[in-house]
Structures are given as C-alpha cells and as structure tokens.
Amino acid sequence: MRGRRTAIGVTSETRTRSLKIVSWNMAHKRESWRYLANMDVDLALLQETCKPPSDVAARIETDPAPWYSGARGRWRTAIAKLSDRVRVEWLEPGPIANTPFGEFAVSTPGTLTAARIWAPSGEPFVAVSMCAEWESPDATAGGRWIYADASVHRIVSDLCAFIGRQRGHRILAAGDLNILRGYGEGGSKYWAARYRTVFERFRAIGLPCIGPESPNGRQADPWPNELPKDSTTVPTFHSNRQSPATASRQLDFVFASEGFADRLTVHALNAPEKWGPSDHCRVGIELKDTVASGTRTGA
C-alpha cells in the first residue's frame, strides 16, 4: 500500500499592533521622569528635559547628548526608549556652521532631537522631538514682546534634512512649538498670520499637522474669548495662574508624512486627573504596525 504524501507550505498572516508613543514637555522636573517610567509606552519624544533621577535612569534609554548643552544652556529635547519592542538609532547632529554638506545639522542645539526607529514590523521611520525657544527683538527694535515662531521656522528648515523626495518619506515630528494654531493672542490678526506661516511650511514640505484636536482631547472650558467658536484645538498647557482644569491654550502639536499619517492616531491626555506633574499635558500617539507572520500548513 502506497503512503499518502503530505505537502507542507507556509501561509502568510498579518497582525496589527499599536506602537505607543508619547510627546511631552517635562518642564525640567525630575518627577516627570518617574511619571514617564510608569507609563505603558514604547517611545517618548521629550522637551525641556533634565537628567533622569537615579531611581528610574536604568529603566529608560536616552540619546547620548549631554543634558546641559541644550538651547542656550537651559534645556534640551530628548528621545527615550522605554521598551524592547522598538529599536532606536539616535541621529547626532552637528552645528550648522561647520557641518559637512549633506549631513544632519541643527540651527539651535537643544531644539531638535532625531532618531531612526524600527517598529516590530521592521519598517523604519524618523522620529523627531522639537521645542521652540522664546526670543525677543534686538534692543534697538523698539519693542519688548517675545516670540517663538522664528525658532519654529529654524526647526522646519532643519527637518528638511530628512526629506529627500516629494513623497514616500516616513517622518513623525512632535513637540512644544510655543505658538497658537488658527488664531493669535487676544484675537490678533497679526500674530495669527505669523503663526499660519509655520503650519503652511510644515505642510509644504510634506508634514501636515495631524493633531491633537477635538474630539481627541478635552476642549477649553470656559471657552476663551480669544478662541474662535469653530476651533478644534485642545488645551495642552496651563500658565501659573491656571490649573489643568482651566487650561486654555494648545502649544503642542504632531506632524507626520502624508501616507504615513494615516497609520497614526493622536490624543491630548489633558483631562485634569490625567494631566501629570508638568505645566504641559502628555500627547499620546499610536502607530498601527502591521507584522507579517508565517504559519506552516499541511495538505
């Protein structure tokens, strides 16, 4: 009697997981590191950091830049790896004045940190943490206001180092820009126009803003007079005269490459009970990561 032959093959299956990312201005607080270490996240894009306290430092892997060499010596951005589900290659920038042509440079040290990230699927993307610093006019300019949009424009220029074609790049950039979206302070048309140019530049290079915005976050209550009635912004910052419950302004934003952005969801974790120890709330970002797996079959 002849035996039956069995054909063994492999069928392909896919599983979708969520890679958990947080963007957060930590307000220089050591307690923010402890808060972060207890979160269920894989990657953190951080702003206004300080050196992690010794009791949590061993649980968090960060980029190798010195902690106190950031924006004019006060603070810096950082990217932290918090799980083994991602592989991270931090990208070290040079000063823009003497970095060789074609290499990554940053206009103001501490305002931008970048890394190449490999998700479980093996598909890499570039993650960027960014924070615009406040500046003031020259003493001869005749004014005393402060502004951050000039710093953001430098950041946008620095981001162009990761864009080598019109489409198909995979970039996630998030952080505290210290500007408003869709309006100016006190309803100022002048500042609204200046801020608009920032978001237009991000979109022009292929990185549209993807949030956070309502309904993915609590909106201001009471509604500020300066905020347009149709605004979808969600507060991510409270001043020292406010609390998380009365926060009214959004300063933190997320940008992503067109196409890649379709796999991302963004939420402002701005409910008062979820706010955390900083004057900025955390912004949660989830990346849908499709992992292929082979299954042996017999016939």
Side-chain angles (χ1 to χ4, degrees):
M1 183 176 182
R2 301 178 62 184
R4 178 182 297 175
R5 300 182 64 184
T6 302
I8 305 295
V10 176
T11 61
S12 178
E13 296 180 352
T14 59
R15 293 174 295 143
T16 299
R17 296 177 176 176
S18 288
L19 194 69
K20 297 180 180 180
I21 305 168
V22 67
S23 176
W24 193 19
N25 181 318
M26 305 178 87
H28 321 99
K29 294 186 176 182
R30 292 164 66 86
E31 186 58 33
S32 295
W33 283 107
R34 297 185 178 100
Y35 204 89
L36 177 68
N38 291 318
M39 289 183 63
D40 178 24
V41 295
D42 302 297
L43 189 73
L45 312 180
L46 305 171
Q47 304 89 45
E48 293 199 30
T49 61
C50 62
K51 185 177 181 179
S54 58
D55 55 305
V56 298
R59 299 159 54 190
I60 302 171
E61 187 177 355
T62 59
D63 55 278
W67 287 107
Y68 301 106
S69 63
R72 297 181 179 169
R74 297 193 303 271
W75 49 262
R76 74 169 179 93
T77 53
I79 293 180
K81 176 179 180 290
L82 293 115
S83 86
D84 293 331
R85 294 185 59 231
V86 291
R87 181 163 65 91
V88 180
E89 176 193 356
W90 287 279
L91 305 174
E92 184 178 0
I96 199 166
N98 56 8
T99 297
F101 183 79
E103 295 186 11
F104 175 37
V106 168
S107 303
T108 306
T111 61
L112 187 153
T113 299
R116 189 168 286 108
I117 311 297
W118 283 265
S121 65
E123 292 184 291
F125 65 94
V126 172
V128 177
S129 175
M130 52 191 179
C131 189
E133 67 170 348
W134 290 105
E135 301 177 352
S136 61
D138 182 81
T140 62
R144 290 188 173 183
W145 60 27
I146 59 174
Y147 53 88
D149 59 320
S151 180
V152 188
H153 278 296
R154 296 187 191 98
I155 290 171
V156 177
S157 296
D158 295 340
L159 277 170
C160 289
F162 303 114
I163 300 174
R165 55 187 184 274
Q166 292 184 27
R167 298 175 184 84
H169 46 75
R170 294 161 54 85
I171 301 168
L172 167 65
D176 173 16
L177 300 188
N178 279 317
I179 64 172
L180 305 175
R181 184 186 185 192
Y183 68 105
E185 291 87 347
S188 167
K189 292 182 179 180
Y190 172 83
W191 285 107
R194 281 183 61 159
Y195 297 155
R196 190 180 307 118
T197 65
V198 169
F199 293 93
E200 289 173 347
R201 276 197 71 195
F202 271 107
R203 178 174 289 279
I205 66 172
L207 298 176
C209 182
I210 61 171
E213 60 185 8
S214 180
N216 295 326
R218 179 184 60 87
Q219 290 199 275
D221 185 17
W223 195 268
N225 291 332
E226 66 180 3
L227 192 61
K229 297 300 182 183
D230 60 350
S231 175
T232 58
T233 62
V234 291
T236 62
F237 165 80
H238 71 79
S239 70
N240 56 13
R241 296 185 298 275
Q242 296 174 317
S243 68
T246 59
S248 58
R249 285 184 173 177
Q250 180 174 351
L251 303 181
D252 303 84
F253 302 93
V254 180
F255 303 81
S257 302
E258 295 172 344
F260 182 53
D262 296 340
R263 296 169 58 183
L264 297 164
T265 56
V266 179
H267 292 78
L269 306 178
N270 65 354
E273 66 275 11
K274 295 182 178 180
W275 191 281
S278 172
D279 53 359
H280 289 253
C281 75
R282 295 156 297 144
V283 176
I285 306 165
E286 290 195 8
L287 167 62
K288 292 181 180 178
D289 187 48
T290 302
V291 182
S293 61
T295 302
R296 294 176 66 86
T297 60

